[in-house]
């Protein structure tokens, strides 16, 4: 086995929650509101059960092949060369995902907090921390996520409750002026962005202890993560309105600046930034881990750590060239990213699962 460490069910559920929240904590309200306007909160709520169903499909794919990751599953059911091409598509997706998350960190920090720091320095520091986490192994990643999870959850709850005095119900009206196409797009975003991007779980599932209630706990973690995001979308609409929510890419950061209770509890945007950095860090690290382990599996290497240094250099380089600036990401990349997530997070895994079930039934009938 490439990985000697083992994750417990609670650690895997924690990492799943981090992948669902991830960078979505900051940009999700803006993205979903750009499609569904003031009805984005409805789409976010509908996305909770749909996202849980999508994660159940991922787990079904993994549970039918215990001890095998996505690369091994693809080669088993598609054949060696088609499975290899299938795996390369996903490995490229994991690489681009890691690079994009690193670039998001750089853009956010240099535009909101460290305006005079070169973005390459921020990205370099982030990539080094990613490499250090991967070097220490999957078990260390899981245990660290358990320690830092309360910070993320507590901030979302504090942000939501402290903004209640600034709520304007009228921002949610009218309820019925959004067309069906926009609502459908909003629902698709609510499923593909948070949960469809959790497809790397199939690369870490083989290294998880098969404990009781594993499937239930992971699906519950997905539901909790989507519920937290729905809370952020709702509070953003109630406080800022649909127009400002749509046109502020860092909506949660703007909301945290509006908190002021008694002239004492205010200016907590640094805490917000910290919690977002934590969740994005773990999401990027799982993507990075899936990429490195997938490459090692693809070439039948005995260990993956020898790939760590060149992979870090590759991610650092791609993070600097993936987009020239933040405006390019918002205008050009974001509208098409949902199609990519839909293809790799829903369509291809669904087709692979159907093929797997068909082959198993055909084999049982022939026997």
């Amino acid at each position: 086995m490439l990985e000697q460490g083992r994750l417990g069910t609670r650690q895997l559920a924690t990492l799943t929650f981090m992948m669902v929240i991830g960078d979505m904590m900051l940009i999700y309200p803006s993205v979903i509101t750009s499609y569904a306007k003031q009805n984005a909160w409805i789409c976010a709520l509908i996305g909770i059960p749909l996202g849980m169903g999508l994660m159940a499909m991922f787990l079904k794919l993994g549970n039918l092949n215990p001890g095998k990751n996505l690369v091994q599953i693809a080669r088993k059911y598609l054949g060696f060369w088609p499975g290899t091409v299938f795996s390369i598509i996903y490995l490229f997706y994991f690489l681009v995902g890691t690079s994009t998350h690193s670039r998001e960190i750089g853009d956010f920090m240099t535009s909101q907090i460290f305006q005079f720091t070169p973005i390459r320095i921020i990205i370099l520091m982030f990539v080094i921390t990613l490499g250090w986490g991967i070097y220490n192994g999957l078990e260390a990643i899981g245990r660290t996520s358990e320690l830092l999870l309360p910070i993320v959850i507590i901030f979302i709850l504090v942000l939501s409750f402290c903004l209640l005095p600034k709520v304007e119900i009228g921002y949610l009206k009218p309820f019925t002026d959004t067309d069906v196409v926009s609502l459908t797009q909003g629902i698709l975003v609510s499923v593909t962005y948070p949960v469809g991007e959790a497809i790397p779980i199939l690369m870490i599932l083989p290294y998880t202890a098969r404990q009781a209630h594993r499937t239930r706990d992971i699906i519950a973690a997905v539901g909790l993560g989507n519920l937290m995001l729905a809370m952020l979308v709702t509070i953003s609409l109630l406080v800022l309105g649909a127009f400002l929510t749509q046109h502020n890419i860092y909506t949660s950061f703007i909301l945290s600046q509006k908190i002021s209770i008694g002239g004492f509890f205010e200016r907590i945007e640094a805490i917000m930034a910290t919690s977002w950095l934590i969740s994005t860090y773990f999401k990027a690290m799982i993507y990075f881990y899936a990429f490195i382990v997938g490459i090692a599996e693809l070439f039948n290497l005995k260990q993956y750590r020898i790939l760590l240094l060149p992979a870090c250099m590759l991610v650092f380089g791609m993070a600097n060239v993936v987009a020239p600036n933040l405006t390019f990401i918002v205008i050009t990349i974001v509208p098409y990213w949902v199609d990519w997530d839909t293809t790799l997070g829903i369509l291809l895994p669904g087709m692979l699962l159907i093929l797997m079930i068909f082959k198993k039934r055909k084999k049982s009938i022939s026997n």
Side-chain angles (χ1 to χ4, degrees):
M1 295 288 283
L2 288 170
E3 177 62 61
Q4 301 302 322
R6 285 294 178 273
L7 290 175
T9 298
R10 185 173 59 187
Q11 295 166 352
L12 182 60
T14 302
L15 289 174
T16 304
F17 177 85
M18 291 292 194
M19 279 193 286
V20 172
I21 293 290
D23 56 333
M24 293 294 108
M25 184 192 302
L26 207 61
I27 66 174
Y28 182 72
S30 174
V31 173
I32 193 172
T33 306
S34 66
Y35 290 99
K37 302 302 184 286
Q38 70 274 7
N39 292 324
W41 65 280
I42 300 176
C43 298
L45 290 176
I46 295 175
I48 295 175
L50 295 180
M52 295 171 71
L54 181 59
M55 179 53 65
M57 184 184 76
F58 293 163
L59 295 178
K60 182 71 173 178
L61 194 60
N63 292 335
L64 289 176
N65 299 273
K68 294 185 181 297
N69 56 38
L70 184 59
V71 176
Q72 295 169 318
I73 295 173
R75 281 180 166 176
K76 177 180 178 182
Y77 290 97
L78 298 178
F80 183 82
W81 289 113
T84 299
V85 174
F86 184 90
S87 302
I88 290 174
I89 293 173
Y90 273 98
L91 294 181
F92 178 72
Y93 175 67
F94 297 153
L95 174 62
V96 174
T98 308
S99 304
T100 304
H101 296 144
S102 302
R103 180 55 185 258
E104 285 177 342
I105 293 292
D107 283 329
F108 172 75
M109 298 298 288
T110 54
S111 63
Q112 303 295 326
I113 300 178
F114 300 126
Q115 288 90 349
F116 301 103
T117 303
I119 189 172
R120 293 186 178 183
I121 301 300
I122 302 295
I123 294 175
L124 178 62
M125 294 172 62
F126 186 73
V127 171
I128 290 174
T129 57
L130 286 179
W132 178 249
I134 301 298
Y135 179 80
N136 284 280
L138 189 60
E139 190 172 347
I141 296 172
R143 293 183 183 275
T144 308
S145 67
E146 281 186 289
L147 292 175
L148 298 178
L149 176 67
I151 297 177
V152 178
I153 295 179
I154 289 173
F155 170 76
I156 296 177
L157 295 177
V158 168
L159 179 66
S160 300
F161 285 109
C162 290
L163 287 172
L164 290 179
K166 299 181 180 294
V167 163
E168 293 287 345
I169 300 296
Y171 282 141
L172 299 183
K173 299 176 181 178
F175 296 106
T176 58
D177 70 330
T178 305
D179 58 275
V180 177
V181 174
S182 298
L183 283 175
T184 304
Q185 290 175 326
I187 294 172
L188 184 62
V189 167
S190 71
V191 177
T192 56
Y193 270 1
V195 186
E197 292 186 358
I199 187 68
I201 192 176
L202 291 175
M203 296 298 296
I204 63 176
L205 202 61
Y207 313 119
T208 306
R210 293 182 62 85
Q211 299 173 341
H213 309 304
R214 185 178 71 172
T215 299
R216 182 200 65 185
D217 292 350
I218 297 174
I219 294 177
V222 169
L224 178 61
N226 259 345
L227 179 61
M228 292 288 183
L229 293 177
M231 288 176 56
L232 286 177
V233 172
T234 305
I235 201 69
S236 298
L237 292 172
L238 288 171
V239 175
L240 298 177
F243 182 82
L244 291 179
T245 300
Q246 176 183 349
H247 291 89
N248 282 297
I249 186 64
Y250 302 129
T251 307
S252 300
F253 190 76
I254 301 299
L255 286 174
S256 63
Q257 292 176 332
K258 291 185 173 293
I259 293 178
S260 179
I261 298 179
F264 172 74
F265 188 72
E266 56 186 10
R267 305 295 297 177
I268 66 167
E269 58 266 23
I271 302 176
M272 183 273 142
T274 302
S275 61
W276 180 71
L277 284 172
I278 291 172
S279 60
T280 306
Y281 171 70
F282 280 102
K283 184 175 182 178
M285 189 153 48
I286 295 302
Y287 267 75
F288 197 26
Y289 180 86
F291 170 70
I292 293 179
V293 171
I295 291 292
E297 185 66 48
L298 206 63
F299 293 98
N300 293 321
L301 301 181
K302 294 183 179 179
Q303 55 143 337
Y304 64 86
R305 287 185 174 87
I306 59 174
L307 301 173
L308 195 53
L309 180 59
C312 286
M313 296 172 64
L314 181 60
V315 168
F316 174 73
M318 287 195 64
N320 283 284
V321 301
V322 70
N325 50 55
L326 180 61
T327 304
F328 181 86
I329 294 177
V330 174
I331 296 177
T332 306
I333 296 180
V334 171
Y336 298 100
W337 196 277
V338 64
D339 300 326
W340 201 18
D341 281 348
T342 302
T343 302
L344 298 180
I346 299 179
L347 298 181
L348 291 184
M351 292 170 60
L352 185 60
L353 180 61
I354 293 172
L355 177 63
M356 182 189 310
I357 295 175
F358 176 76
K359 285 193 172 183
K360 285 181 177 294
R361 288 186 178 179
K362 185 178 180 180
K363 184 178 180 181
S364 63
I365 291 174
S366 63
N367 290 336

